Amino acid sequence: MIKVQNLRKVYKVGTEKVVALDNINLEIEKGEFCCIVGTSGSGKSTLLNQLAGLEKPTKGSVHINGENISQMDEKKLAVFRQNNIGFIFQSYNLMPTLTAVENVAFPLMFKGVPRKEREKKSRAILKEMQMQDRMKHKPTELSGGQQQRVGIARAFVGKPAVIFADEPTGNLDSKTTEQVMEMLIDISQKNNITFVMVTHDNELAKKAKRVVTLVDGNIVHDTKFDTERE
Ligand code: ADP
Ligand code: MG
């Protein structure tokens, strides 16, 4: 599903060069739930941004579904991302003037889904996430955990091939974090969606079947777990 070859990302800041990713090789199968872990500054967000096509690598390539997204121009990439990729942000990134249902329905608009159907799909997925009593609430009328459930529903509603999440539970308390994590694993599995998430929380990563560890822009561990842990 995802194939990364000799990926390198160097940022230039003034005359300084920062090697954020050194040389990354990685393959993630369809339906896999993968956590990328590492300390702050190890390159986790940089890797996720290259995987999701939000930034262009300095060297190397990222293939998703057999397509080299590193070589696509902005227009082609935008369409590809609309059809294949979902993204969940740490800070939710919901639209403040829209209700929960409208926020979730929003990305379907670009796919040409009629309004009635958009809202039907949005309500169904929000219900699946125990949000049936908060459909018409705006983001400021929701708790952090509820806002992130809206953010998650929005990423899943179009059933993309891959969903990327950068510290999706980073702003949540430990109990809510656990609930959200279980929800993410559950709906990814049910829909056979490949899920790649970044976290600095090793305990949280223990719930994933695949854990990739970064140190200074390199993969130092890549472990697959066949059975449920703990
Ligand atoms: P993490 O998400 O693991 O905390 P990042 O991927 O954000 O780490 O950053 C990796 C390294 O690249 C850090 O040293 C960071 O300062 C640097 N970096 C990240 N983004 C940029 C940028 N846009 N410009 C310059 N340096 C950056
Ligand atoms: Mg980061």
Side-chain angles (χ1 to χ4, degrees), residues 9 11 18-22 24 36-47 166-167 198-201 213-219:
K9 180 70 181 180
Y11 292 110
V18 179
V19 181
L21 298 174
D22 186 7
I24 302 282
I36 297 170
V37 299
T39 54
S40 175
S42 57
K44 304 182 297 295
S45 296
T46 305
L47 178 55
D166 195 348
E167 306 267 7
V198 157
T199 178
H200 64 272
D201 182 343
T213 309
L214 289 182
V215 173
D216 290 340
N218 285 297
I219 294 176

